[in-house]
């Protein structure tokens, strides 16, 4: 019997080339995207999981979050909901969620980061195998 790992993401771990300080947000990002950049980078730096090679992906994540927030503001200012804008917002939010998972910004992906830590509670757990 073979073991399949399709669909299982590898465990995240600290990178030897991880950034140690927050780079400036790209100038072309919208205000909401820049705010997201400033919000998430301290977490990424502390976990040591983002390198220079990852900056484009983080930039894309921030741009998607910024676009979704901008659309939300635009839609809330109108009297009638705009179905096309709503569909576009959903696609931006899906993209942001997928990119967030890549960088440990969701609860499940943060659990993957901590999955490699030693668990000393097994001795006290009667259900541990």
């Amino acid at each position: 019997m073979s073991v399949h790992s399709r669909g299982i993401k590898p465990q995240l771990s600290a990178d030897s080339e991880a950034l140690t300080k927050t780079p400036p947000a790209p100038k072309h990002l919208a205000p909401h995207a820049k705010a997201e950049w400033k919000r998430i980078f301290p977490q990424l730096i502390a976990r040591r999981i983002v390198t220079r090679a990852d900056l484009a992906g983080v930039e894309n994540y921030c741009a998607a979050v910024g676009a979704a927030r901008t659309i939300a503001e635009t839609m809330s200012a109108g009297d009638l909901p705009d179905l096309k804008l709503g569909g576009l917002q959903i696609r931006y939010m899906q993209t942001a969620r997928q990119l967030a998972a890549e960088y440990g910004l969701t609860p499940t992906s943060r659990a993957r980061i901590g999955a490699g830590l030693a668990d000393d509670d097994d001795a006290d757990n009667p259900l541990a195998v």
Side-chain angles (χ1 to χ4, degrees):
M1 176 164 60
S2 63
V3 177
H4 297 284
S5 61
R6 184 176 60 188
I8 298 173
K9 293 186 178 184
Q11 177 181 327
L12 295 174
S13 60
D15 195 304
S16 63
E17 297 177 9
L19 296 177
T20 57
K21 66 179 198 169
T22 302
K27 295 182 191 301
H28 66 274
L29 286 180
H32 286 301
K34 285 182 181 179
E36 186 68 8
W37 182 279
K38 291 176 185 173
R39 186 186 75 80
I40 65 164
F41 248 101
Q43 298 171 45
L44 296 175
I45 298 295
R47 292 188 200 124
R48 298 186 42 83
I49 58 172
V50 68
T51 67
R52 286 213 174 278
D54 301 318
L55 290 180
V58 175
E59 180 181 335
N60 290 336
Y61 163 75
C62 292
V65 168
R69 288 183 184 154
T70 301
I71 292 170
E73 285 180 353
T74 302
M75 288 176 53
S76 67
D79 293 334
L80 295 173
D82 184 335
L83 296 179
K84 289 182 181 178
L85 275 180
L88 186 60
Q89 181 189 28
I90 289 169
R91 286 191 293 279
Y92 277 122
M93 290 188 300
Q94 287 172 337
T95 300
R97 180 188 49 79
Q98 290 168 340
L99 289 168
E102 292 296 319
Y103 299 106
L105 298 172
T106 64
T108 302
S109 60
R110 280 193 301 274
R112 281 190 309 152
I113 294 170
L117 299 175
D119 187 10
D120 295 335
D121 295 335
D122 285 348
D124 298 334
N125 186 354
L127 300 176
V129 179

